Amino acid sequence: MIEVKDLTFSYTQKPFIVDMNFEVMEGEIFGFLGPSGAGKSTLQKILLGMLPNYKGVAKVGGVECKRCGSDFYRTIGVDFEFSTMYEKLSARENLEFFSSLYGIKGRSIDDLLLAVGLENDGDKRVSDFSKGMKSRLNFVKALVHDPQLLFLDEPTSGLDPTNSRMMKDLILEEKRRGKTILLTTHNMQDATELCGRVAFIVGGKLFALGSPGLLTFSHAHKHQL
Ligand code: ADP
């Protein structure tokens, strides 16, 4: 689904991401794990076609990211940390609006609201929603056109334990539906619960790649914890 080979990228004169290599298979939840400033969002932006001046290969669904067109955006769903909803519109109006932009028959809005426990809140204005409700709504906004690939940026960030649990269950449900999911997190616990494999990124470099459990074990073993 995703192929990254000898990827190099710089914001300034100095290369930031250097010779990075990994692949993401169809149907897996793959995590970018690492401290703040490590380069996780930069990598996501490259894969979303937002930073086209990279060197090497960065392909999503066989298409080189720097050359992706509007068709590409119909096949992906993006849920970044901040709400992108129209506050004065209801939840249902927002979802209907974003769904109409794709020009295809997507998923049922009622089913999506039900899936995130907002079936009785669909006609309320988004400005009256709590942070957890907004996060869940933002998540299903990424699903309206039923994309095959989901990009999630820190999906549980700032959520209380109940909303965080709900969000993780929603992500796992999309995996069960066969979606490929790429998520960034600095939370090892989330990575362990959700991801089949993680790329551990530090200072723009791929420090380690593997299952979260194995990475924890080898780190503990190395440092004899
Ligand atoms: P993460 O998502 O892991 O927190 P980022 O990819 O957002 O890390 O940022 C990695 C580094 O790149 C940071 O040091 C940040 O300051 C720098 N950076 C991000 N965007 C830009 C930009 N547009 N211009 C210059 N430097 C940037």
Side-chain angles (χ1 to χ4, degrees):
M1 184 58 102
I2 293 176
E3 182 190 355
V4 168
K5 215 170 151 199
D6 304 330
L7 178 69
T8 298
F9 174 80
S10 350
Y11 282 116
T12 55
Q13 311 280 55
K14 199 167 154 265
F16 175 52
I17 286 171
V18 185
D19 283 338
M20 197 172 275
N21 291 280
F22 63 88
E23 286 184 0
V24 180
M25 306 302 162
E26 208 171 320
E28 78 171 318
I29 303 183
F30 188 92
F32 288 151
L33 180 71
S36 189
K40 305 180 297 293
S41 304
T42 301
L43 266 174
Q44 277 208 339
K45 284 182 189 157
I46 292 172
L47 295 173
L48 287 167
M50 292 162 68
L51 297 172
N53 53 340
Y54 59 83
K55 295 201 178 75
V57 174
K59 285 185 181 172
V60 175
V63 178
E64 193 63 62
C65 297
K66 63 176 85 171
R67 282 190 274 280
C68 64
S70 56
D71 281 355
F72 170 71
Y73 293 100
R74 286 203 189 97
T75 63
I76 63 162
V78 179
D79 179 14
F80 278 8
E81 216 177 321
F82 300 104
S83 172
T84 49
M85 296 288 167
Y86 291 101
E87 297 266 321
K88 288 188 178 167
L89 298 182
S90 70
R92 186 187 306 282
E93 284 165 342
N94 266 287
L95 293 180
E96 279 168 356
F97 170 70
F98 287 110
S99 181
S100 72
L101 297 180
Y102 292 99
I104 49 171
K105 190 181 165 342
R107 279 163 77 168
S108 143
I109 304 290
D110 283 331
D111 287 354
L112 289 175
L113 288 169
L114 182 66
V116 287
L118 295 174
E119 66 277 18
N120 297 320
D121 303 295
D123 297 318
K124 285 187 194 148
R125 277 184 180 203
V126 170
S127 55
D128 295 332
F129 275 24
S130 67
K131 184 172 166 45
M133 289 161 86
K134 280 185 189 172
S135 295
R136 283 181 270 142
L137 184 62
N138 225 31
F139 178 72
V140 285
K141 182 196 143 201
L143 307 179
V144 286
H145 53 304
D146 206 14
Q148 232 5 74
L149 174 61
L150 288 174
F151 287 85
L152 310 177
D153 193 15
E154 301 282 356
T156 62
S157 169
L159 296 182
D160 62 37
T162 310
N163 275 294
S164 172
R165 180 67 267 153
M166 259 184 181
M167 184 60 79
K168 285 187 264 192
D169 288 341
L170 290 167
I171 294 167
L172 291 169
E173 177 56 26
E174 289 310 304
K175 177 185 159 50
R176 273 191 287 277
R177 289 171 54 92
K179 309 292 178 187
T180 307
I181 300 167
L182 208 153
L183 67 86
T184 69
T185 182
H186 59 267
N187 184 323
M188 189 64 197
Q189 176 73 30
D190 280 4
T192 308
E193 272 185 61
L194 296 172
C195 302
R197 290 188 307 144
V198 292
F200 188 44
I201 297 161
V202 183
K205 293 183 186 62
L206 185 57
F207 190 72
L209 177 72
S211 79
L214 210 65
L215 289 192
T216 313
F217 176 77
S218 62
H219 178 78
H221 189 66
K222 214 183 279 174
H223 297 276
Q224 300 197 322
L225 298 174

